[in-house]
Amino acid sequence: MFKKFMLAGAATSLLAGAASAADLPRRVAPPPVFTAVPVFTWTGFYAGLHTDYTFTDRQRITTIGNDVAPTNTIGNVATLRRPPVVSNEQDGLANIGGGFGYNYQFTPGSGVVVGVQADWAWNDIHKNTFYLGPRLAANNFTPDPSAFRQELSWLGTVVGRAGYAFDRLFVYGMGGFAYGGVDYRANFYTGGGALAYAGRYNDIATGYAYGGGIEYALPTDSLLARFSLLGLLGIQSQAVTIKAEYLHYDLGSRNVLVNNTGFTPAAGAAPRGSYTSRFTTEGNLVRAGFSYKFNGL
């Protein structure tokens, strides 16, 4: 009987303890740690490569005669024996170049972006233009050939950029300084094929450029970022951007003295027996490329 009483008391104590424990406040689980999603910014340095399609549509070469005697070059242009104006259209595809720059975005995410960009491209566009004059008594009724060559070997620009970023999409305009390596040549022949006049200008021409573009920033873990040369070298970029740009360039005009190959004027004397051909270098460039953007500074 006593044993039964003891067992019943123990069971009651256990039930009472369980009920008391149920009444205790439960431990509240800690709230999850909030991790802010990083907001993309265009601020920072970048560098990349691009390929271009360059074409011209308003390049002209104008020629004037400089004297009446001894060869009446003024009259030769007036009678079209030498061409007063020729057009020289050029184009080139798959030209390679590269560039670098810096952007600053005023508000991360979406907002106004300003920056500066320097680019260089190997254009290598050139064209030979030929002209065959009329049959005149002055040339014994044998047409006189004239040949012009115009070349833009390379083109560089340093431009400012300003636009608006819609998060990872950036739309912008640009404008600034342009310079390039030009080569101008003018050769005038007799009807028999002998070189009678020759002139050349080979130097760096300067001018301006303007245009616009659109650029998009790919995620950091994109394949282009992972398997890039920078990635293989262990250099981490914040993003890879792809872009398309249009640029109009104008390197101005240059005069080329086309001198009589059989006549040398005295020192300081006015040109005699010569022509002046004026070359204009102006064109358009459509560009596609990519850049590696580094963390904003």
Side-chain angles (χ1 to χ4, degrees):
M1 185 70 181
F2 180 74
K3 289 182 178 181
K4 291 181 178 180
F5 179 77
M6 293 296 291
L7 290 173
T12 302
S13 299
L14 290 173
L15 291 173
S20 299
D23 293 336
L24 293 175
R26 295 184 179 182
R27 174 178 287 183
V28 179
V33 178
F34 175 75
T35 303
V37 178
V39 179
F40 182 79
T41 175
W42 286 88
T43 298
F45 291 94
Y46 61 90
L49 299 173
H50 53 75
T51 183
D52 306 332
Y53 171 62
T54 309
F55 61 97
T56 65
D57 54 6
R58 291 187 293 179
Q59 290 190 146
R60 288 157 49 97
I61 304 172
T62 59
T63 299
I64 61 172
N66 294 325
D67 62 276
V68 175
T71 54
N72 193 21
T73 57
I74 294 176
N76 289 343
V77 175
T79 60
L80 303 183
R81 183 176 179 181
R82 301 300 177 186
V85 180
V86 296
S87 296
N88 195 2
E89 312 304 330
Q90 304 165 286
D91 68 285
L93 182 62
N95 303 302
I96 302 298
F100 61 92
Y102 179 81
N103 290 321
Y104 179 79
Q105 184 170 351
F106 290 94
T107 57
S110 296
V112 176
V113 180
V114 296
V116 62
Q117 176 175 296
D119 284 290
W120 187 93
W122 179 257
N123 303 93
D124 193 27
I125 58 172
H126 51 81
K127 186 173 183 180
N128 297 317
T129 302
F130 300 96
Y131 173 85
L132 192 62
R135 300 175 184 272
L136 302 171
N139 58 12
N140 297 320
F141 300 101
T142 303
D144 291 313
S146 301
F148 302 89
R149 178 178 175 84
Q150 184 166 4
E151 178 176 345
L152 177 64
S153 301
W154 52 269
L155 179 71
T157 59
V158 180
V159 297
R161 300 204 307 175
Y164 195 87
F166 303 89
D167 192 25
R168 289 179 173 266
L169 182 66
F170 179 30
V171 181
Y172 54 91
M174 54 187 176
F177 177 69
Y179 60 102
V182 298
D183 187 8
Y184 307 140
R185 305 182 196 185
N187 293 324
F188 300 161
Y189 300 87
T190 66
L195 180 62
Y197 302 86
R200 184 180 183 185
Y201 177 91
N202 184 283
D203 208 337
I204 296 177
T206 60
Y208 62 88
Y210 61 86
I214 184 170
E215 192 167 3
Y216 180 74
L218 301 173
T220 309
D221 58 354
S222 65
L223 290 178
L224 191 58
R226 287 183 178 181
F227 297 101
S228 68
L229 178 59
L230 293 179
L232 295 176
L233 294 176
I235 301 175
Q236 182 64 37
S237 62
Q238 185 188 25
V240 175
T241 69
I242 54 176
K243 67 179 180 180
E245 293 179 341
Y246 163 78
L247 198 68
H248 178 82
Y249 63 88
D250 189 336
L251 300 184
S253 301
R254 299 292 184 278
N255 288 336
V256 177
L257 180 63
V258 189
N259 217 345
N260 190 330
T261 57
F263 177 78
T264 303
R272 297 177 60 213
S274 66
Y275 301 85
T276 297
S277 292
R278 187 169 182 83
F279 290 73
T280 299
T281 298
E282 181 181 4
N284 307 281
L285 184 149
V286 178
R287 170 180 296 162
F290 64 91
S291 298
Y292 294 98
K293 179 191 174 300
F294 303 97
N295 292 331
L297 298 174

